[in-house]
Amino acid sequence: MSRTVESDPQMSAPVLAAYSYCEAVTGQQARNFAYGIRLLPTPKRRAMSALYALSRRVDDIGDGALAPDVKADRLDDTRALLARIREGKVEEDDTDPVAVALAHAATHFPIPLGGLDELIDGVLMDVRGETYETWDDLKVYCRCVAGAIGRLSLGVFGTERGALHAERAPEYADTLGLALQLTNILRDVREDAEDGRTYLPAEDLAKFGCSAGFSGSEPPAGSDFAGLVHFEVRRARALFAEGYRLLPMLDRRSGACVAAMAGIYRRLLDRIEREPEAVLRGRVSLPGREKAYVAVRGLSGLDARSVSRGTVRRRA
């Protein structure tokens, strides 16, 4: 995959308005994602905002209060919209600004739009209330809802000409998505339990005496909740270490975007590791100043250079 030329031809008013709408959605709803994409040049930032806006729509359908059959119908409608985008059937004056922006982005970047179909597949797993016996089972879900987003994003970022092992970039982007999703699962374990969802593998829950689930602010009686969290943190760290191999393959600003987003989640992982039971009391988050620091660090290229030297430190 070669780096995409970033020249921005004159853009029509409807397309510009569509991108503005997507950027507004991203700025309002993407707490961590927005810190990274601010570091991108305008064409890539707009394309990433279009991807986020469509992904947000899919997630909102899955997380909403509609009946499961209605959610499935809405997801089918979104899949049909993706088919129209792929077939070039979305006009600039279409009434759906997300479709207009994404259709434009897909003509300027080699975005593998099938990744959004995978996202829909993953959200359908949520709609069906699927649970996961093993990590291999959970990986299927994570690849749909997060690994696919990594590969979609790579379509916008591109890789540097002559980058070593660039053919493995989609694999690393996918793995980084898994790392972010597992961090999300750990952070949201109480919130998900309140919504009737369990993502952590059943065999891991049983191993640490947590099969009863997480219905309160305290771990299940007699469980080794800290042991469970530390076990999953080690798994996430291994995924981050593998996924970070993507960074040296990207141009400076795309690498900064990825390093910022991944760095925020690695710091969340640090906090969760230090105080595992905090995730049962509420959502663990980073203050804005710390997110800004991680973004500046990403823009400096420190993480990409560390990966090149094989010296990525534990903390982002």
Side-chain angles (χ1 to χ4, degrees):
M1 183 186 300
S2 61
R3 184 169 55 180
T4 302
V5 177
E6 295 181 2
S7 59
D8 186 11
Q10 285 191 341
M11 191 177 296
S12 70
V15 172
L16 185 58
Y19 276 128
S20 295
Y21 173 84
C22 292
E23 290 192 276
V25 170
T26 303
Q28 292 166 7
Q29 300 189 40
R31 288 181 294 270
N32 295 326
F33 185 83
Y35 274 87
I37 68 169
R38 289 173 186 167
L39 305 176
L40 294 170
T42 300
K44 291 185 178 183
R45 187 185 70 245
R46 286 172 173 161
M48 289 294 289
S49 294
L51 279 173
Y52 176 83
L54 197 286
S55 301
R56 179 78 264 168
R57 179 182 296 178
V58 173
D59 286 341
D60 286 346
I61 293 171
D63 292 338
L66 298 171
D69 58 335
V70 179
K71 289 181 179 182
D73 288 344
R74 295 281 179 89
L75 291 170
D76 282 345
D77 290 343
T78 307
R79 206 186 292 275
L81 174 62
L82 285 172
R84 287 179 53 218
I85 292 172
R86 271 194 294 268
E87 295 164 5
K89 293 182 178 178
V90 174
E91 302 294 336
E92 290 186 359
D93 60 354
D94 193 282
T95 57
D96 185 341
V98 177
V100 172
L102 187 56
H104 184 273
T107 64
H108 289 77
F109 296 94
I111 300 172
L113 291 175
L116 289 166
D117 284 293
E118 292 181 57
L119 173 61
I120 293 172
D121 292 338
V123 172
L124 280 169
M125 294 180 197
D126 284 335
V127 172
R128 293 191 296 264
E130 292 190 18
T131 55
Y132 308 96
E133 182 64 29
T134 67
W135 167 238
D136 283 341
D137 296 333
L138 180 58
K139 275 197 295 188
V140 174
Y141 170 79
C142 291
R143 285 214 157 93
C144 286
V145 300
I149 301 301
R151 286 177 268 118
L152 286 158
S153 300
L154 183 62
V156 175
F157 298 145
T159 55
E160 285 280 68
R161 189 181 302 278
L164 292 175
H165 309 301
E167 72 282 356
R168 298 193 66 181
E171 172 190 340
Y172 295 141
D174 183 277
T175 300
L176 201 52
L178 264 64
L180 270 60
Q181 186 62 24
L182 183 54
T183 303
N184 266 336
I185 288 170
L186 287 172
R187 181 195 64 187
D188 297 340
V189 65
R190 168 74 183 278
E191 183 178 320
D192 289 331
E194 290 174 347
D195 290 338
R197 294 178 180 175
T198 300
Y199 291 102
L200 290 175
E203 68 175 15
D204 295 355
L205 296 174
K207 179 179 179 180
F208 293 96
C210 294
S211 295
F214 312 105
S215 58
S217 59
E218 298 294 329
S223 69
D224 181 11
F225 181 72
L228 171 67
V229 170
H230 291 153
F231 178 78
E232 304 297 350
V233 165
R234 288 193 296 273
R235 176 175 279 157
R237 289 198 190 287
L239 293 167
F240 273 116
E242 179 75 6
Y244 261 61
R245 295 184 182 184
L246 175 66
L247 292 181
M249 301 176 182
L250 306 178
D251 66 79
R252 177 173 174 264
R253 291 174 70 176
S254 295
C257 173
V258 174
M261 289 188 286
I264 288 170
Y265 278 86
R266 287 178 69 200
R267 283 174 172 260
L268 280 174
L269 207 59
D270 289 342
R271 291 196 170 202
I272 292 168
E273 181 182 40
R274 287 196 300 268
E275 193 178 0
E277 292 185 18
V279 299
L280 297 178
R281 297 193 293 269
R283 174 170 287 208
V284 177
S285 62
L286 299 183
R289 63 181 181 278
E290 192 168 351
K291 293 179 182 180
Y293 166 77
V294 175
V296 170
R297 178 184 170 88
L299 194 57
S300 73
L302 285 172
D303 291 316
R305 290 196 294 274
S306 295
V307 174
S308 296
R309 295 193 300 269
T311 58
V312 175
R313 292 191 304 233
R314 177 172 168 176
R315 294 184 186 277

